[in-house]
Amino acid sequence: MGYGYGYAPPPPPRRRRGCLFGCLTTLTVLVFLVLGGLLGVYFYLRPMLSEQAGNTLGGQLEQQIDRKLDEQLGGPNSEIPAGFQGTVQVTDSEINQFLQANPNEISPLDSATVRFTPGRLGATVGAYGITGTATAGVQVTADGRVDVVDAQIDGALGFLLDPEQLSQTLEAKLNNQLAANGQRITAIEVSDGVLTATVEAQ
């Protein structure tokens, strides 16, 4: 004789989602984090590092040229006489000695070493644990402006440096400083370890 209670089957076991859902969620979050990091590098860090690398190389070339002119003219900050024309030679070792003695000059780069090879300016640059080499040719236009041509970046650093912006910054830094000092370059030649420039008063 029953008591009015029907038999109730046990509830079906809950289906466990396992790790698939969690793994997919984690993967999605990681993808967005990586994408955000890459966009940040491309739109913020890359332009900043490219500009700094160009400013470092251009500024050092101009400073060494100016120092060699001072030596020829008889003292620091000497004025270039009207009609002056002279040839100066700058070595990559001179620039590297200055950079090693003044690491603050290359910030936010971690390291920078300049090397001159026939027809090419080169700089091995390190930033955020990544190292690579940037090289470029140089030529002088008829109006005495230095043009940077065929800029190339080798190694993983190509992800952090933009060769086009590096060229533009290097050109602007070098030409603007020369013009501010009343100088212009009429000829330039890069050989092994040495840059030779013919400089005249504007």
Side-chain angles (χ1 to χ4, degrees), residues 6 56 63 107 114 127 149 186:
T56 296
Q63 284 186 33
S107 178
V114 175
V149 296
T186 57

Side-chain angles (χ1 to χ4, degrees), residues 79-140:
E79 289 188 11
I80 299 180
F84 170 84
Q85 185 178 68
T87 300
V88 297
Q89 288 189 328
V90 176
T91 67
D92 51 16
S93 61
E94 290 171 321
I95 294 178
N96 290 328
Q97 287 172 9
F98 179 88
L99 294 178
Q100 289 173 6
N102 300 273
N104 58 305
E105 292 287 328
I106 64 173
S107 178
L109 303 176
D110 298 327
S111 62
T113 304
V114 175
R115 185 182 177 199
F116 299 149
T117 57
R120 307 283 291 177
L121 304 177
T124 299
V125 179
Y128 300 94
I130 298 176
T131 303
T133 300
T135 63
V138 285
Q139 62 187 23
V140 180

Side-chain angles (χ1 to χ4, degrees), residues 28-105:
T28 302
V29 171
L30 287 175
V31 167
F32 276 106
L33 287 175
V34 170
L35 182 59
L38 291 176
L39 290 175
V41 167
Y42 193 82
F43 289 107
Y44 173 71
L45 192 57
R46 195 171 192 240
M48 179 182 66
L49 290 176
S50 301
E51 183 174 356
Q52 181 57 34
N55 280 332
T56 296
L57 184 54
Q60 280 308 301
L61 283 174
E62 188 279 327
Q63 284 186 33
Q64 293 297 331
I65 288 172
D66 204 44
R67 184 175 68 83
K68 293 298 180 73
L69 285 176
D70 285 344
E71 290 176 359
Q72 289 187 23
L73 296 172
N77 303 315
S78 300
E79 289 188 11
I80 299 180
F84 170 84
Q85 185 178 68
T87 300
V88 297
Q89 288 189 328
V90 176
T91 67
D92 51 16
S93 61
E94 290 171 321
I95 294 178
N96 290 328
Q97 287 172 9
F98 179 88
L99 294 178
Q100 289 173 6
N102 300 273
N104 58 305
E105 292 287 328

